[in-house]
Amino acid sequence: MISCQELECLDIEELYHITDACFHFASDDKYYCSGKSSLAALKELNISHCSGISNEGIIALSNVIHVQTLSRLKISGLHLLTDESVENLTVGLNKGNESSIKSNIKYFESISCLGLTDKILESVSSNCPKICHINLSRCLNITDQGISSILTKCHLLQFFSVSGCKLLTFEQPGAQFTLDPRKIHLKEVNVSDLSRLTDVGLANIACNLGQNLTKVDISGCKNISENGVQSIFKRCKKLMILEVIG
């Protein structure tokens, strides 16, 4: 891998025996030591469900990847990752430096990353202005506050999934979901299996995010009544698919 200077896509999903040691080439790599990135051309990285990869491996990767080049990142199923290591991978040297070049991340998938919190969402929303696809399904520690940060700052967002994020209500005091209609490009929203989502929260979604929505999934939301469904029909004029299974 050290010599793959033109590598644009690295997909090792479900290689369970891959460990952090795989990425410790950085400190011994002549390109890295000379100030060049070993994986500077990498555009897509999928390390989902590689259970042997921890924060240590993510930090090693962040040393050899250019956030200005990387556009697709999939880290689903890496339960032990923390905000800090993922921030290094998505934001890199931009962290804390408003004048630096922003990240090029457009696609971010972190399903079942149980160690992630609102902190990574605030970092992504501030430093990844091109992001258009976010899947945070079953990230159990994120709250309305973190989601508010994503929805109010990521103006190019088209797909958004928070399925199974048990703390979300979309009505938490202090969380801001009132957006400028001119900056809303969201087309698909998945809020399925949200045990705390009620008609009030669904109405907030429909009112503030609904103008361009073509698909909404509220399957498994046991506290939604016909009133909530009606709010979707009333506000989402471009809706083509509504999933209400179970």
Side-chain angles (χ1 to χ4, degrees), residues 131-146:
I131 200 158
C132 58
H133 180 113
I134 298 180
N135 193 335
L136 304 166
S137 299
R138 298 188 297 280
C139 288
L140 302 182
N141 292 312
I142 64 174
T143 72
D144 286 351
Q145 201 67 47

Side-chain angles (χ1 to χ4, degrees), residues 6 31 50 74-75 81 84 87 93 97 101 106 123 149 154 175 184 204 215 242:
E6 303 302 320
Y31 289 95
C50 294
K74 300 175 71 173
I75 56 172
L81 299 189
E84 288 74 15
E87 186 176 32
L93 298 178
N97 185 358
I101 299 174
K106 298 175 183 177
S123 177
S149 180
C154 298
I184 300 174
N204 283 337
K215 181 177 180 179
L242 176 62

Side-chain angles (χ1 to χ4, degrees), residues 117-219:
T117 71
D118 291 346
K119 182 179 178 182
I120 187 61
L121 303 188
E122 292 163 2
S123 177
V124 167
S125 65
S126 297
N127 294 282
C128 303
K130 296 182 181 180
I131 200 158
C132 58
H133 180 113
I134 298 180
N135 193 335
L136 304 166
S137 299
R138 298 188 297 280
C139 288
L140 302 182
N141 292 312
I142 64 174
T143 72
D144 286 351
Q145 201 67 47
I147 296 305
S148 171
S149 180
I150 290 289
L151 294 177
T152 55
K153 294 180 181 179
C154 298
H155 301 310
L156 299 182
L157 195 62
Q158 296 186 27
F159 175 91
F160 180 66
S161 177
V162 287
S163 175
C165 296
K166 303 300 185 182
L167 298 180
L168 298 183
T169 66
F170 287 88
E171 52 182 298
Q172 178 181 322
Q176 175 62 256
F177 299 112
T178 303
L179 308 181
D180 183 343
R182 296 168 298 179
K183 297 181 178 180
I184 300 174
H185 296 86
L186 201 58
K187 294 182 178 180
E188 295 187 31
V189 167
N190 185 347
V191 290
S192 61
D193 296 316
L194 299 191
S195 57
R196 298 187 182 187
L197 185 66
T198 67
D199 291 340
V200 174
L202 190 57
N204 283 337
I205 293 172
C207 181
N208 296 308
L209 306 174
Q211 72 174 35
N212 292 313
L213 286 180
T214 59
K215 181 177 180 179
V216 176
D217 189 344
I218 56 173
S219 301

